[in-house]
Amino acid sequence: MSVHRSVKKITTHVLQEMKRNGEKIAMLTAYDFTMARILDQAGIDILLVGDSASNVMAGYETTLPITLDEMIYHAAGVVRAVDRCLVVVDMPFGSYQGNSKEALTSAIRIMKESGGHSIKMEGGREIVESIERILSAGIPVMGHLGLTPQSIYKFGTYTVRAKEEEEAKRLIEDAKLLEETGCFAIVLEKVPAKLAEQVAKEVQIPIIGIGAGNGVDGQVLVTHDMLGMNQEFSPRFLRRYLNLAEDMNMAVKSYITDVRNKDFPNESEQY
Ligand code: KIV
């Protein structure tokens, strides 16, 4: 039997076993109880309480404004909803870049106040000291390399990263360093598929791609994008499985019509 079918709960060890067994890992974002329940019951392996909540839930242009308190609020709702999947919570911008003591304090707050199972941090060699300190407190850490949206003002654009040899070399070194330091998995965002495949081959921990091709160990998408709730964002890597914005628009229009026509509620819908 496949690894993920044989377990009641997905842990960091199960994910690593899935990689060893050649089983792909499916990860999506969630920011609230209702969505998380649906995704967990559908059998998702990992739910990421992403700082993309800053864009998706709060309407900010970047991921930078969301606060640690807000991330904890979103994560606590997700954790209350799930029975099986692993919940990873993003450390928001400003909660770990200062120094490793601050990083540990932020990670402990996430674990204690939300009940999340692990945290995710963006960056390579520059955050290794913080990762070590967090790991030494017993908190599992997922890395994030490639396009790291918290550094958008440094990059200047959301285009594909590591197309040049020097940046690709640095990325491979960083992935190996994160593995050595003890990260249980790494998200690799928007890098050439060939490079992502090479990274997945050269490290033993799972590499979860977004816009990183099919040669990695798993995939992650923003749930609201893959359900078609967000019509304005159409990168090449996004596959839309529903057109929910359109379906919801039609449903709401029908409701408005029914209310205006005094068709809702009918006899059986009242007391
Ligand atoms: O915040 C987020 O949703 C993410 C994914 C895009 C990986 O970090």
Side-chain angles (χ1 to χ4, degrees), residues 237-253:
F237 67 76
L238 174 62
R239 185 179 294 181
R240 283 210 176 87
Y241 288 82
L242 277 179
N243 200 341
L244 213 49
E246 212 170 286
D247 291 350
M248 289 173 76
N249 183 284
M250 306 247 284
V252 173
K253 279 191 172 131

Side-chain angles (χ1 to χ4, degrees), residues 27 29 31 48-53 63 90 120 122 144 149 187 189 210 220-222:
M27 168 166 156
T29 58
Y31 318 111
L48 170 66
V49 185
D51 59 358
S52 50
T63 58
D90 256 338
K120 173 164 84 61
E122 295 183 6
H144 185 155
V187 163
E189 180 164 355
I210 172 163
V220 55
L221 284 176
V222 169

Side-chain angles (χ1 to χ4, degrees), residues 1-7 10 13-26 45-46 84 205-208 214 216-219:
M1 202 188 339
S2 60
V3 176
H4 75 280
R5 280 185 202 284
S6 66
V7 297
I10 303 289
H13 301 285
V14 169
L15 297 172
Q16 290 175 357
E17 218 181 313
M18 284 173 73
K19 171 159 179 157
R20 281 196 293 277
N21 214 32
E23 287 171 40
K24 298 276 186 182
I25 296 162
D45 298 312
I46 309 176
R84 180 180 173 277
I205 56 174
I207 300 295
I208 316 285
N214 207 359
V216 289
D217 307 303
Q219 299 293 329

Side-chain angles (χ1 to χ4, degrees), residues 12 30 40 79 81 96 104 185 215 217 227 234 237 261:
T12 59
D40 186 52
V79 171
Y96 63 98
L104 177 61
D217 307 303
L227 293 180
S234 288
F237 67 76
N261 293 344

Side-chain angles (χ1 to χ4, degrees), residues 15-253:
L15 297 172
Q16 290 175 357
E17 218 181 313
M18 284 173 73
K19 171 159 179 157
R20 281 196 293 277
N21 214 32
E23 287 171 40
K24 298 276 186 182
I25 296 162
M27 168 166 156
L28 283 171
T29 58
Y31 318 111
D32 68 10
F33 177 90
T34 304
M35 184 70 88
R37 199 153 191 85
I38 294 168
L39 303 179
D40 186 52
Q41 287 177 353
I44 200 77
D45 298 312
I46 309 176
L47 281 182
L48 170 66
V49 185
D51 59 358
S52 50
S54 180
N55 314 95
V56 178
M57 302 306 280
Y60 289 116
E61 208 174 303
T62 72
T63 58
L64 276 69
I66 198 160
T67 66
L68 185 57
D69 284 339
E70 287 166 340
M71 286 303 296
I72 289 169
Y73 167 80
H74 286 297
V78 170
V79 171
R80 283 193 288 272
V82 309
D83 289 324
R84 180 180 173 277
C85 70
L86 183 86
V87 177
V88 181
V89 185
D90 256 338
M91 296 264 275
F93 177 70
S95 71
Y96 63 98
Q97 289 89 349
N99 57 59
S100 62
K101 185 163 182 269
E102 184 190 40
L104 177 61
T105 306
S106 303
I108 288 176
R109 276 202 63 203
I110 288 176
M111 300 299 282
K112 226 177 164 65
E113 296 176 37
S114 77
H117 310 143
S118 58
I119 57 104
K120 173 164 84 61
M121 295 161 81
E122 295 183 6
R125 60 201 72 186
E126 66 282 6
I127 59 162
V128 160
E129 187 190 322
S130 297
I131 295 176
E132 277 170 346
R133 205 155 174 174
I134 292 169
L135 285 169
S136 70
I139 301 170
V141 178
M142 175 181 268
H144 185 155
L145 296 171
L147 176 68
T148 46
Q150 292 179 10
S151 304
I152 186 57
Y153 291 113
K154 185 177 88 182
F155 296 145
T157 88
Y158 285 101
T159 54
V160 180
R161 302 301 313 172
K163 286 208 297 209
E164 306 302 328
E165 203 179 318
E166 202 178 315
E167 195 181 338
K169 186 169 160 271
R170 192 179 160 90
L171 189 146
I172 294 169
E173 285 168 7
D174 277 344
K176 288 181 177 170
L177 186 59
L178 293 186
E179 175 179 39
E180 266 169 44
T181 308
C183 287
F184 71 87
I186 300 171
V187 163
L188 205 45
E189 180 164 355
K190 242 180 161 182
V191 299
K194 239 177 154 174
L195 171 65
E197 186 171 0
Q198 185 185 346
V199 174
K201 279 199 178 117
E202 292 193 16
V203 301
Q204 307 309 308
I205 56 174
I207 300 295
I208 316 285
I210 172 163
N214 207 359
V216 289
D217 307 303
Q219 299 293 329
V220 55
L221 284 176
V222 169
T223 299
H224 290 65
D225 296 340
M226 62 84 83
L227 293 180
M229 294 176 86
N230 170 10
Q231 299 290 333
E232 285 124 54
F233 184 63
S234 288
R236 188 211 290 221
F237 67 76
L238 174 62
R239 185 179 294 181
R240 283 210 176 87
Y241 288 82
L242 277 179
N243 200 341
L244 213 49
E246 212 170 286
D247 291 350
M248 289 173 76
N249 183 284
M250 306 247 284
V252 173
K253 279 191 172 131

